[in-house]
Each structure stands twice: as structure tokens, then as C-alpha cells.
Amino acid sequence: MPIQAVEKFWMDGQLVDWADAKVHVLTHALHYGSGVFEGVRIYPTDRGPAVFRLHDHVRRLFRSAHVYQMDIPYTQEETADAIRDVVRANGLDSCYVRPLVFRGFGEMGLNPLPVPVSVCIAVWPWGAYLGEEAFEAGVRVKISSWKRNDHNMLPPGAKATGQYINSSLAKVEALNAGYDEAIMLNVAGYIADGSGQNVFVVKDGVLSTPPGSAGCLDGITRDSVIAIARDAGYQVAERNLSRFDLYTADEAFFTGTAAEVVPIREADDRPIGSRERGPVTKEIQATFLAAPRGEVDAYRSWLSLVD
Ligand code: PMP
């Protein structure tokens, strides 16, 4: 999906014109993947645009930066305010936000520590990541031959730019083979996550999702869905899942900020359940899509109004 230009971009403390948001080609992060980032969504509500789980995203950004020993020259509160500022400056009531902290221009080489840290925040309108029709029809996935980066290779809990070439290998392999998305296993052979989504399966009315120790990202949508499911009376287990668990599930779905909640209808050419969005997925998806729009009182605390 091509990026749609907007008016303003937040760069190192200032709102600049979109066209002026540029870096030098010798930017460290461009060569060595030395950046950390977030993906956040803004939803329209009856009280104006709201950021979904703003403080959780900012906290995760700082945690990722901590792992890579990057000092962000702003507080978490200032960063949260900057996210709101750039959304407001562009007058958008529904969009995606991409905060990025990266090693900029200064020195080359594999020691990133002397290189200055830059912070920028981009926003742009971004629709359904896996396609509008996927919300109902679901997607076809392929278990990737590429393994998710292990805890002692690149910590999967930190959203570092460089680690996403691992996800890209899996995504491209799946697309080339005619599937919509990849599911990556960890080195022990258990499901970690999709290229940019967490995975849930439903069996006999119980939801299961891999634990953080399996090497998935601790997704904020995942966390929201766990809360929604438990509040609706479902049991949710965080446990290792094998490809057998996926193939024989009654239902399966992805969760993610970009993807939101999307059913998985087929895995490696095996239909999952009836190959249609199952009743549990449908219920959780409906609540999830309503919550960020301020339509569920119990989850209003997940929203931070832009104004
Ligand atoms: N796993 C990976 C590898 C991801 O990149 C993402 C997207 N951030 C997710 C899971 C889902 O996380 P979240 O719900 O916080 O967007």
C-alpha cells in the first residue's frame, strides 16, 4: 500500500513539513538496522480522535531503546505528547502512527554508541493491513521456513528495525508461494508469531496464544484481546503451540496494530475449522473493533484523546 503524504512530520522536537523529513544516506540505522520503532493507531470516537493504548506503546518504545542502549532525549510523557501533536497538526481522525528512534549521522562502524540518537514520528492514513475483505473472509497462511530470531540472536521483545528483515524474509516467501501471510516458528519448533502479528487459536472454546518466551512480541493488541476474551468469559492460555495445534484448531486469528483482528482460514493448505470466520473470532473481533472507537465503556481507559 503506497504511503499517502500528509502535511507535517515530527522530527527531533519540531513539526516540519512532510517533504523536509529527510536524513543523510550515511545514517547509521540505514546501514546497520540500529533503530527501534512502534506502530500505533488513531481511531475516531464521539469525542474526537483517540490514540489506542498510547502509554503502552510509548513504554514499549522506551523498553526497546533500553535494550539497544539508546538514550531517548525526551521523557515518555513528552513522547506521548509529541504523538498527539503530530496527529493534531495533520488534522487526521483515523491514521497509523510510526514513532522511530534511530542512530543518525556521525560515525560508521558497528559500535553505535557514539552516534547521535534521533526521534521522529510519522503519521499517515492506513487502512486494513491485510485487506478489508480479510476481516470476514480471513487469510491463508504458510508456516515459514525462516525461523523467528531467538532471544540470544536478536531479542524478539524489542521492536528493532533491523530484526524486521527476518520478518520480511518470511512475508516474501509466503507471498511468493501464493499465501497472504507467514507464521514463524522459533528454533524449538513452536509458533512464535506472524511477520507482524500475534497468533491465537481456539479449541473447544478455549483461546491459546504463545507466551513471550516463545519469541513473540508482547503485542498490545494481543494483550487487549486477552482482556476482552477473559471479560467475555473465555479461558485464555499462554502456552507453546505447535503447527499441529494450528492445523487442528477450531478457529485461529491474527492480532496486531496494523492488522487488528483477522481470522486465519487456512494454514499450509489445511482448512481451519469450517474455513469461515468462527463464532469466537467474530465476537472478539467485534469487541476489539468497537473498543478503540470508544464504543465499549469498559475499555475507554485504553484511549487517549488527541485534543
Ligand atoms: N508480532 C510482531 C513481530 C509485530 O511486529 C507486531 C506488530 N507490532 C505484533 C506481533 C503485534 O503487536 P501489536 O499488537 O502491539 O501491534
Side-chain angles (χ1 to χ4, degrees):
M1 230 179 289
I3 297 176
Q4 204 180 311
V6 296
E7 272 179 47
K8 294 289 180 189
F9 202 99
W10 193 95
M11 266 192 113
D12 293 319
Q14 286 181 20
L15 285 168
V16 300
D17 287 341
W18 173 271
D20 294 332
K22 292 182 180 155
V23 294
H24 196 279
V25 288
L26 291 181
T27 290
H28 195 273
L30 203 51
H31 297 250
Y32 301 120
S34 49
V36 295
F37 69 101
E38 270 303 314
V40 187
R41 265 195 194 270
I42 309 299
Y43 289 87
T45 78
D46 56 1
R47 294 190 225 160
V51 192
F52 186 63
R53 302 198 61 170
L54 173 60
H55 299 286
D56 297 303
H57 281 287
V58 170
R59 202 174 303 129
R60 190 170 67 184
L61 180 70
F62 275 69
R63 220 167 49 213
S64 298
H66 175 74
V67 170
Y68 287 96
Q69 297 174 270
M70 304 171 88
D71 288 325
I72 299 181
Y74 306 98
T75 62
Q76 292 198 26
E77 210 41 59
E78 287 166 342
T79 307
D81 286 345
I83 290 173
R84 285 199 206 95
D85 287 346
V86 66
V87 173
R88 199 180 304 117
N90 286 291
L92 297 168
D93 72 347
S94 161
C95 60
Y96 183 80
V97 185
R98 169 56 56 82
L100 171 68
V101 178
F102 64 98
R103 296 280 178 184
F105 179 88
E107 287 190 26
M108 268 303 165
L110 287 175
N111 174 13
L113 299 183
V115 184
V117 170
S118 269
V119 181
C120 63
I121 306 169
V123 302
W124 67 88
W126 208 6
Y129 179 70
L130 291 170
E132 201 60 49
E133 64 292 343
F135 285 118
E136 189 172 343
V139 291
R140 297 175 61 244
V141 302
K142 175 177 169 32
I143 304 262
S144 185
S145 70
W146 298 100
K147 300 288 178 274
R148 160 68 69 230
N149 40 279
D150 184 59
H151 295 281
N152 295 308
M153 297 171 184
L154 288 168
K159 265 182 88 70
T161 58
Q163 84 178 40
Y164 278 84
I165 52 175
N166 176 242
S167 285
S168 289
L169 286 169
K171 178 84 184 182
V172 169
E173 181 187 68
L175 292 177
N176 283 344
Y179 299 84
D180 303 308
E181 188 49 83
I183 286 185
M184 300 182 79
L185 306 180
N186 59 28
V187 290
Y190 293 107
I191 291 174
D193 46 17
S195 65
Q197 308 86 2
N198 290 107
V199 177
F200 283 76
V201 300
V202 184
K203 183 83 185 168
D204 299 328
V206 175
L207 284 80
S208 302
T209 190
S213 55
C216 61
L217 185 72
D218 60 338
I220 290 167
T221 318
R222 170 186 182 277
D223 182 71
S224 309
V225 160
I226 290 174
I228 287 170
R230 288 192 174 141
D231 290 349
Y234 292 103
Q235 208 179 312
V236 184
E238 294 182 56
R239 64 177 181 93
N240 277 328
L241 296 175
S242 64
R243 58 201 301 166
F244 175 82
D245 293 320
L246 179 66
Y247 293 164
T248 61
D250 299 332
E251 303 178 29
F253 59 88
F254 278 133
T255 65
T257 298
E260 301 177 297
V261 174
V262 166
I264 301 171
R265 74 166 186 276
E266 246 180 69
D268 292 343
D269 307 313
R270 289 148 181 96
I272 295 186
S274 61
R275 218 192 229 115
E276 285 179 359
R277 177 176 60 181
V280 180
T281 305
K282 189 176 175 186
E283 180 187 346
I284 304 282
Q285 184 191 49
T287 310
F288 177 78
L289 292 174
R293 293 176 171 81
E295 293 162 10
V296 187
D297 282 343
Y299 305 127
R300 279 226 178 229
S301 62
W302 284 342
L303 303 180
S304 302
L305 293 175
V306 168
D307 294 307

PDB file of all heavy atoms in Angstrom, residues 84-97:
ATOM      1  N   ARG A  84       0.553  12.939  20.014  1.00  0.00           N
ATOM      2  CA  ARG A  84      -0.727  13.657  19.876  1.00  0.00           C
ATOM      3  C   ARG A  84      -0.558  14.905  19.000  1.00  0.00           C
ATOM      4  O   ARG A  84      -1.402  15.201  18.165  1.00  0.00           O
ATOM      5  CB  ARG A  84      -1.230  14.100  21.252  1.00  0.00           C
ATOM      6  CG  ARG A  84      -1.805  12.981  22.077  1.00  0.00           C
ATOM      7  CD  ARG A  84      -2.686  13.598  23.166  1.00  0.00           C
ATOM      8  NE  ARG A  84      -2.780  12.745  24.315  1.00  0.00           N
ATOM      9  CZ  ARG A  84      -2.017  12.833  25.403  1.00  0.00           C
ATOM     10  NH1 ARG A  84      -1.097  13.775  25.508  1.00  0.00           N
ATOM     11  NH2 ARG A  84      -2.180  12.003  26.396  1.00  0.00           N
ATOM     12  N   ASP A  85       0.571  15.620  19.200  1.00  0.00           N
ATOM     13  CA  ASP A  85       0.801  16.872  18.446  1.00  0.00           C
ATOM     14  C   ASP A  85       0.814  16.633  16.939  1.00  0.00           C
ATOM     15  O   ASP A  85       0.230  17.391  16.176  1.00  0.00           O
ATOM     16  CB  ASP A  85       2.158  17.498  18.832  1.00  0.00           C
ATOM     17  CG  ASP A  85       2.130  18.112  20.224  1.00  0.00           C
ATOM     18  OD1 ASP A  85       1.012  18.281  20.767  1.00  0.00           O
ATOM     19  OD2 ASP A  85       3.223  18.403  20.753  1.00  0.00           O
ATOM     20  N   VAL A  86       1.506  15.565  16.525  1.00  0.00           N
ATOM     21  CA  VAL A  86       1.652  15.374  15.076  1.00  0.00           C
ATOM     22  C   VAL A  86       0.341  14.894  14.461  1.00  0.00           C
ATOM     23  O   VAL A  86       0.013  15.249  13.319  1.00  0.00           O
ATOM     24  CB  VAL A  86       2.875  14.479  14.738  1.00  0.00           C
ATOM     25  CG1 VAL A  86       2.698  13.070  15.232  1.00  0.00           C
ATOM     26  CG2 VAL A  86       3.146  14.471  13.235  1.00  0.00           C
ATOM     27  N   VAL A  87      -0.452  14.161  15.230  1.00  0.00           N
ATOM     28  CA  VAL A  87      -1.776  13.760  14.717  1.00  0.00           C
ATOM     29  C   VAL A  87      -2.634  15.008  14.554  1.00  0.00           C
ATOM     30  O   VAL A  87      -3.268  15.234  13.517  1.00  0.00           O
ATOM     31  CB  VAL A  87      -2.459  12.746  15.667  1.00  0.00           C
ATOM     32  CG1 VAL A  87      -3.890  12.465  15.218  1.00  0.00           C
ATOM     33  CG2 VAL A  87      -1.656  11.453  15.736  1.00  0.00           C
ATOM     34  N   ARG A  88      -2.612  15.865  15.596  1.00  0.00           N
ATOM     35  CA  ARG A  88      -3.418  17.097  15.570  1.00  0.00           C
ATOM     36  C   ARG A  88      -2.977  18.000  14.409  1.00  0.00           C
ATOM     37  O   ARG A  88      -3.802  18.543  13.678  1.00  0.00           O
ATOM     38  CB  ARG A  88      -3.239  17.831  16.910  1.00  0.00           C
ATOM     39  CG  ARG A  88      -4.319  18.838  17.192  1.00  0.00           C
ATOM     40  CD  ARG A  88      -4.103  19.543  18.532  1.00  0.00           C
ATOM     41  NE  ARG A  88      -3.990  18.640  19.663  1.00  0.00           N
ATOM     42  CZ  ARG A  88      -2.893  18.511  20.429  1.00  0.00           C
ATOM     43  NH1 ARG A  88      -1.813  19.232  20.198  1.00  0.00           N
ATOM     44  NH2 ARG A  88      -2.885  17.666  21.436  1.00  0.00           N
ATOM     45  N   ALA A  89      -1.652  18.118  14.223  1.00  0.00           N
ATOM     46  CA  ALA A  89      -1.122  19.012  13.186  1.00  0.00           C
ATOM     47  C   ALA A  89      -1.580  18.582  11.794  1.00  0.00           C
ATOM     48  O   ALA A  89      -1.632  19.394  10.875  1.00  0.00           O
ATOM     49  CB  ALA A  89       0.398  19.036  13.254  1.00  0.00           C
ATOM     50  N   ASN A  90      -1.899  17.300  11.642  1.00  0.00           N
ATOM     51  CA  ASN A  90      -2.328  16.817  10.328  1.00  0.00           C
ATOM     52  C   ASN A  90      -3.841  16.705  10.196  1.00  0.00           C
ATOM     53  O   ASN A  90      -4.343  16.323   9.136  1.00  0.00           O
ATOM     54  CB  ASN A  90      -1.664  15.467  10.030  1.00  0.00           C
ATOM     55  CG  ASN A  90      -0.194  15.641   9.695  1.00  0.00           C
ATOM     56  OD1 ASN A  90       0.141  16.184   8.649  1.00  0.00           O
ATOM     57  ND2 ASN A  90       0.693  15.228  10.596  1.00  0.00           N
ATOM     58  N   GLY A  91      -4.531  17.037  11.275  1.00  0.00           N
ATOM     59  CA  GLY A  91      -5.998  17.047  11.231  1.00  0.00           C
ATOM     60  C   GLY A  91      -6.617  15.701  10.889  1.00  0.00           C
ATOM     61  O   GLY A  91      -7.668  15.644  10.261  1.00  0.00           O
ATOM     62  N   LEU A  92      -5.966  14.622  11.300  1.00  0.00           N
ATOM     63  CA  LEU A  92      -6.479  13.292  10.954  1.00  0.00           C
ATOM     64  C   LEU A  92      -7.279  12.713  12.119  1.00  0.00           C
ATOM     65  O   LEU A  92      -6.886  12.886  13.275  1.00  0.00           O
ATOM     66  CB  LEU A  92      -5.318  12.348  10.633  1.00  0.00           C
ATOM     67  CG  LEU A  92      -4.470  12.745   9.417  1.00  0.00           C
ATOM     68  CD1 LEU A  92      -3.196  11.918   9.370  1.00  0.00           C
ATOM     69  CD2 LEU A  92      -5.271  12.560   8.139  1.00  0.00           C
ATOM     70  N   ASP A  93      -8.377  12.045  11.821  1.00  0.00           N
ATOM     71  CA  ASP A  93      -9.096  11.415  12.937  1.00  0.00           C
ATOM     72  C   ASP A  93      -8.986   9.899  12.886  1.00  0.00           C
ATOM     73  O   ASP A  93      -9.522   9.188  13.730  1.00  0.00           O
ATOM     74  CB  ASP A  93     -10.549  11.889  13.027  1.00  0.00           C
ATOM     75  CG  ASP A  93     -11.416  11.328  11.929  1.00  0.00           C
ATOM     76  OD1 ASP A  93     -10.859  10.772  10.955  1.00  0.00           O
ATOM     77  OD2 ASP A  93     -12.647  11.452  12.038  1.00  0.00           O
ATOM     78  N   SER A  94      -8.246   9.409  11.897  1.00  0.00           N
ATOM     79  CA  SER A  94      -8.028   7.977  11.794  1.00  0.00           C
ATOM     80  C   SER A  94      -6.732   7.795  11.006  1.00  0.00           C
ATOM     81  O   SER A  94      -6.623   8.264   9.878  1.00  0.00           O
ATOM     82  CB  SER A  94      -9.225   7.382  11.047  1.00  0.00           C
ATOM     83  OG  SER A  94      -8.900   6.122  10.543  1.00  0.00           O
ATOM     84  N   CYS A  95      -5.734   7.207  11.625  1.00  0.00           N
ATOM     85  CA  CYS A  95      -4.458   7.037  10.919  1.00  0.00           C
ATOM     86  C   CYS A  95      -3.559   6.085  11.699  1.00  0.00           C
ATOM     87  O   CYS A  95      -3.916   5.592  12.769  1.00  0.00           O
ATOM     88  CB  CYS A  95      -3.745   8.376  10.726  1.00  0.00           C
ATOM     89  SG  CYS A  95      -3.356   9.248  12.247  1.00  0.00           S
ATOM     90  N   TYR A  96      -2.425   5.827  11.112  1.00  0.00           N
ATOM     91  CA  TYR A  96      -1.388   5.000  11.723  1.00  0.00           C
ATOM     92  C   TYR A  96      -0.273   5.951  12.151  1.00  0.00           C
ATOM     93  O   TYR A  96      -0.033   6.961  11.486  1.00  0.00           O
ATOM     94  CB  TYR A  96      -0.883   4.023  10.663  1.00  0.00           C
ATOM     95  CG  TYR A  96       0.147   3.029  11.126  1.00  0.00           C
ATOM     96  CD1 TYR A  96      -0.217   1.874  11.820  1.00  0.00           C
ATOM     97  CD2 TYR A  96       1.483   3.222  10.833  1.00  0.00           C
ATOM     98  CE1 TYR A  96       0.735   0.948  12.216  1.00  0.00           C
ATOM     99  CE2 TYR A  96       2.450   2.289  11.219  1.00  0.00           C
ATOM    100  CZ  TYR A  96       2.061   1.158  11.910  1.00  0.00           C
ATOM    101  OH  TYR A  96       2.995   0.240  12.298  1.00  0.00           O
ATOM    102  N   VAL A  97       0.381   5.648  13.251  1.00  0.00           N
ATOM    103  CA  VAL A  97       1.482   6.489  13.732  1.00  0.00           C
ATOM    104  C   VAL A  97       2.733   5.631  13.828  1.00  0.00           C
ATOM    105  O   VAL A  97       2.681   4.517  14.361  1.00  0.00           O
ATOM    106  CB  VAL A  97       1.188   7.080  15.133  1.00  0.00           C
ATOM    107  CG1 VAL A  97       2.299   8.040  15.548  1.00  0.00           C
ATOM    108  CG2 VAL A  97      -0.157   7.764  15.167  1.00  0.00           C
TER     109      VAL A  97
END
